[in-house]
Amino acid sequence: MAELKIPEHIAVIMDGNGRWAKKRMMPRSYGHRRGFDVFVSTADVCSDLGVKYLTVYAFSTENWSRPRDEVDALTGIIRDMVSEYIPRMLKKNIRMNVFGDISRFSADTRAALEKSVSASEDCGGLTVNVCLSYGGRDEIVRACRRVIASGNTEPTERDLSEAMYTSGMPDPDLIIRTGGEYRISNFLLWQCAYSELYFTPVLWPDFGKQELMKAIESFSERDRRYGNTKGE
């Protein structure tokens, strides 16, 4: 087996919460709550491994079109669980960012998110980026608007990168998608140009440390050439 290489930046599409709950004849909200627990434990493992950045797709712009009761349950879980996670996050020196348009969330949910970001801004360990009401195309449009508003009429790739939510961060080395689907689903479209992709049928609530290590082992076996031949 190849020497284990720990990615600097891991991104995750956390898919399968609803199906996991349905298999257990439970409401979808039960799966979302379990999924948040797995997110927290995954962040802890990444912190212990020395990963610098973890970006998770928690709520997409398209998720607003789901049934109202599911949306309300999911946003409530986000509010409650983020609040519960703050002490644990600070203890492990984890910093939290929120990517996306959170203006659509309720005032109390926004307050909980803003509190987490503010409380952890001086933490220097793992940075966790939580994508909420996020879409990759929307992020690119917002970045273009920021560049235009600055008066820059001939933007470069670097200019656009600096206008993204991930400004100042490396692009993801590894993007993991759980749940058996084989697509990116509007996630980090600008940043994923050279990311290694890992797909697994495991539903997110069942994605523990062992599954994460499988993904990292797969990443370690890959030869990242970025378009170069490396002497071939």
Side-chain angles (χ1 to χ4, degrees), residues 111-162:
L113 294 169
E114 290 163 359
K115 181 180 179 181
S116 296
V117 172
S118 177
S120 66
E121 62 184 0
D122 294 327
C123 292
L126 172 70
T127 294
V128 175
N129 306 311
V130 183
C131 296
L132 295 168
S133 191
Y134 169 91
R137 289 179 175 178
D138 179 70
E139 180 184 16
I140 293 171
V141 170
R142 287 171 178 271
C144 290
R145 288 173 176 167
R146 288 186 63 186
V147 171
I148 292 170
S150 72
N152 186 345
T153 58
E154 297 184 6
T156 63
E157 286 189 16
R158 181 174 180 177
D159 294 329
L160 283 175
S161 291
E162 291 177 350

Side-chain angles (χ1 to χ4, degrees), residues 5-37:
K5 300 175 184 176
I6 303 300
E8 185 176 15
H9 187 172
I10 295 176
V12 185
I13 301 172
M14 307 182 295
D15 193 18
N17 292 340
R19 282 173 284 160
W20 183 87
K22 185 177 180 180
K23 286 172 63 176
R24 289 157 177 79
M25 295 182 288
M26 298 293 287
R28 291 175 65 88
S29 59
Y30 178 74
H32 292 312
R33 183 165 291 275
R34 168 61 181 167
F36 197 99
D37 290 337

Side-chain angles (χ1 to χ4, degrees), residues 88-104:
R88 182 171 174 176
M89 179 171 61
L90 296 177
K91 187 174 181 180
K92 298 208 68 165
N93 198 29
I94 294 174
R95 181 177 181 178
M96 178 175 160
N97 292 316
V98 175
F99 294 168
D101 179 13
I102 65 170
S103 65
R104 296 183 65 178

